[in-house]
Amino acid sequence: MNRFVRPVSSVLLRRLALASIIANVAIVVTGGAVRLTASGLGCPTWPRCTDDSYVTTPEMGVYGVIEFSNRMLTFAVGLIALATVLAVLIHRPRRPGLLALSVAVFLGIPAQAVIGGITVLTNLNPWVVGLHFLSSMAVIAAAYALWRRIGDPDGPTVAAVPTPLRALARITTGVTVAVLVIGTWVTGSGPHAGDHGAARNGLDPEAISQVHADGVFLLIGLSVALIFAFRAAEARRATRAAVVLVAVELGQGLIGFVQYFTHVPALLVGAHMLGSCLVLLAALSVQWSTRERHPATPAPQPTTATEAQPVPA
């Protein structure tokens, strides 16, 4: 390593990864604010804000400011991800797996921005808007994996719970993803299109909301089962993670029911989007708690001069 480049500590590396998680959650929430204030077409084209300007203009009013501000936040999130990649590169000793994860997070941000641009170019097509949200969830998942991997030692991975419980945790994570996907269908059928002229997906709001609620009930049931199963296996760390997951799910479910019966007020929809991020993170925490890494075993060192030097033929 260049003697003028100071190595990055593991503490700083993990703080950067945590900052990346927070920043990506923040851009989901601010993206929701764009849609909930009907500012989705505040900048009516992409990558420019207008045909003649890359930035918002006074004629575009507050809607242009809100939409353009969300676009600028993408650069801030990208800079944090880039700083994380650079920190991984100069960290010594080089740790396996970190570079791939950090690059995945970094590349996911422009990919997510491109999908956001397509939502504008398609006049906020609800299916593309849903894909935009789910791409953000994928980046958050990668950022969380990076953060956890930095905190783990570099030795072999071992199971912390019996194999059937690991399978149950994977099923729960899969149902979590399914609930998030169906949630985007609910949003695409509802009143908050992001612009007064944007189309809806044509699904019946009441019917698709019921499907979403059924998925939530299944998810909560699986999560409660995980608590009892982990307790029976005396897996304390996994039990705590499952308890947090159920608590987050109940809070998210409460917000969902209140927003449905109060005709989907914008403020509660924004809180529900934040809750979706927290549910995903809690589910990933449960998944991570089912395995653990042991410290790497150092290579055996020669103990005598005879062992240290090759024997001539």
Side-chain angles (χ1 to χ4, degrees), residues 124-142:
L124 305 182
N125 180 291
W127 300 106
V128 183
V129 171
L131 179 61
H132 188 214
F133 172 78
L134 294 174
S135 67
S136 296
M137 294 293 103
V139 175
I140 290 172

Side-chain angles (χ1 to χ4, degrees), residues 20-21 24-25 27-28 100-109 111-112 115 130-146 177 180-181 184 276-277 280-281 284:
S20 188
I21 297 173
N24 279 285
V25 170
I27 204 168
V28 169
L101 284 171
S102 62
V103 170
V105 174
F106 176 67
L107 294 180
I109 293 168
Q112 188 259 9
I115 297 173
L131 179 61
H132 188 214
F133 172 78
L134 294 174
S135 67
S136 296
M137 294 293 103
V139 175
I140 290 172
Y144 180 83
L146 175 62
V177 174
L180 291 175
V181 172
T184 66
S276 297
C277 298
L280 175 64
L281 291 170
L284 292 174

Side-chain angles (χ1 to χ4, degrees), residues 255-278:
I255 294 172
F257 278 111
V258 172
Q259 74 171 7
Y260 179 78
F261 290 109
T262 55
H263 307 292
V264 202
L267 184 61
L268 285 181
V269 175
H272 201 58
M273 293 184 70
L274 173 60
S276 297
C277 298
L278 298 180

Side-chain angles (χ1 to χ4, degrees), residues 8-311:
V8 175
S9 69
S10 295
V11 173
L12 176 58
L13 196 57
R14 200 155 196 247
R15 287 176 179 173
L16 283 170
L18 179 60
S20 188
I21 297 173
I22 295 171
N24 279 285
V25 170
I27 204 168
V28 169
V29 175
T30 57
V34 170
R35 181 168 57 82
L36 297 171
T37 57
S39 302
L41 295 178
C43 287
T45 189
W46 187 89
R48 296 188 179 191
C49 193
T50 70
D51 290 335
D52 302 317
S53 174
Y54 281 98
V55 300
T56 184
T57 62
E59 293 77 15
M60 301 171 70
V62 65
Y63 298 122
V65 172
I66 294 173
E67 163 67 1
F68 183 72
S69 297
N70 184 248
R71 292 188 183 188
M72 290 299 98
L73 183 59
T74 301
F75 288 99
V77 177
L79 286 174
I80 294 173
L82 177 59
T84 306
V85 172
L86 296 176
V88 168
L89 286 172
I90 64 178
H91 181 272
R92 291 296 182 274
R94 182 70 61 83
R95 297 187 57 195
L98 298 190
L99 183 59
L101 284 171
S102 62
V103 170
V105 174
F106 176 67
L107 294 180
I109 293 168
Q112 188 259 9
V114 169
I115 297 173
I118 295 173
T119 67
V120 174
L121 297 177
T122 57
N123 294 317
L124 305 182
N125 180 291
W127 300 106
V128 183
V129 171
L131 179 61
H132 188 214
F133 172 78
L134 294 174
S135 67
S136 296
M137 294 293 103
V139 175
I140 290 172
Y144 180 83
L146 175 62
W147 178 69
R148 291 298 298 257
R149 181 66 187 88
I150 293 170
D152 284 345
D154 292 327
T157 301
V158 297
V161 298
T163 299
L165 299 190
R166 297 189 72 189
L168 181 59
R170 285 193 291 269
I171 292 172
T172 304
T173 302
V175 173
T176 300
V177 174
V179 167
L180 291 175
V181 172
I182 299 171
T184 66
W185 302 348
V186 175
T187 299
S189 70
H192 298 293
D195 184 80
H196 300 297
R200 302 285 70 206
N201 60 21
L203 298 176
D204 179 68
E206 184 173 349
I208 196 61
S209 294
Q210 183 61 57
V211 173
H212 183 58
D214 292 342
V216 170
F217 287 132
L218 174 61
L219 177 58
I220 293 175
L222 288 170
S223 303
V224 171
L226 280 175
I227 293 177
F228 288 102
F230 288 155
R231 287 188 64 184
E234 298 183 348
R236 294 182 180 180
R237 187 166 68 103
T239 302
R240 288 194 298 268
V243 168
V244 171
L245 175 60
V246 170
V248 174
E249 289 168 352
L250 291 176
Q252 175 75 336
L254 177 62
I255 294 172
F257 278 111
V258 172
Q259 74 171 7
Y260 179 78
F261 290 109
T262 55
H263 307 292
V264 202
L267 184 61
L268 285 181
V269 175
H272 201 58
M273 293 184 70
L274 173 60
S276 297
C277 298
L278 298 180
V279 168
L280 175 64
L281 291 170
L284 292 174
S285 177
V286 170
Q287 189 67 55
W288 216 271
S289 71
T290 63
R291 32 77 70 204
E292 58 187 20
R293 281 183 180 270
H294 290 174
T297 303
Q301 300 296 322
T303 56
T304 67
T306 302
E307 293 176 328
Q309 299 295 330
V311 177

